[in-house]
Amino acid sequence: MVQGRLGSQVDPGLDSGRCALMLRWDASGPARATDLVARLGMDMSTVSRQVASLVALGLVERVPHPGDGRVRPSSISAEGSADRSG
């Protein structure tokens, strides 16, 4: 699969599922896992695992929510953006 090959070139730990999530991530900025589930039509447990692994790879970061300290939306990090742009 092309996504899998591209993902492994960015980072050996980036499989096709996580690569697809990053490629389809809405450019509108930070999103909670529930937002990603709604936008992408994916299963919540899958999105949660993939986001957690992308955070561990440094490609996604959790950011504080300005209005609610309990909420930690995620956004593609500077490293993740650089990796996606080539």
Side-chain angles (χ1 to χ4, degrees):
M1 178 178 248
V2 173
Q3 284 174 200
R5 286 195 306 268
L6 291 174
S8 64
Q9 289 174 1
V10 171
D11 187 290
L14 188 59
D15 63 18
S16 62
R18 289 178 280 190
C19 186
L21 178 64
M22 287 191 67
L23 290 172
R24 295 172 55 200
W25 198 299
D26 188 9
S28 67
R32 297 173 301 164
T34 54
D35 299 329
L36 293 173
V37 166
R39 286 184 204 162
L40 305 176
M42 297 172 73
D43 179 76
M44 177 59 122
S45 62
T46 300
V47 169
S48 294
R49 279 193 312 273
Q50 289 180 344
V51 169
S53 65
L54 290 167
V55 168
L57 291 170
L59 302 175
V60 168
E61 60 190 355
R62 298 201 189 273
V63 295
H65 187 281
D68 188 345
R70 299 168 295 170
V71 177
R72 299 284 296 178
S74 303
S75 66
I76 296 175
S77 68
E79 181 179 345
S81 293
D83 286 341
R84 290 184 321 143
S85 65

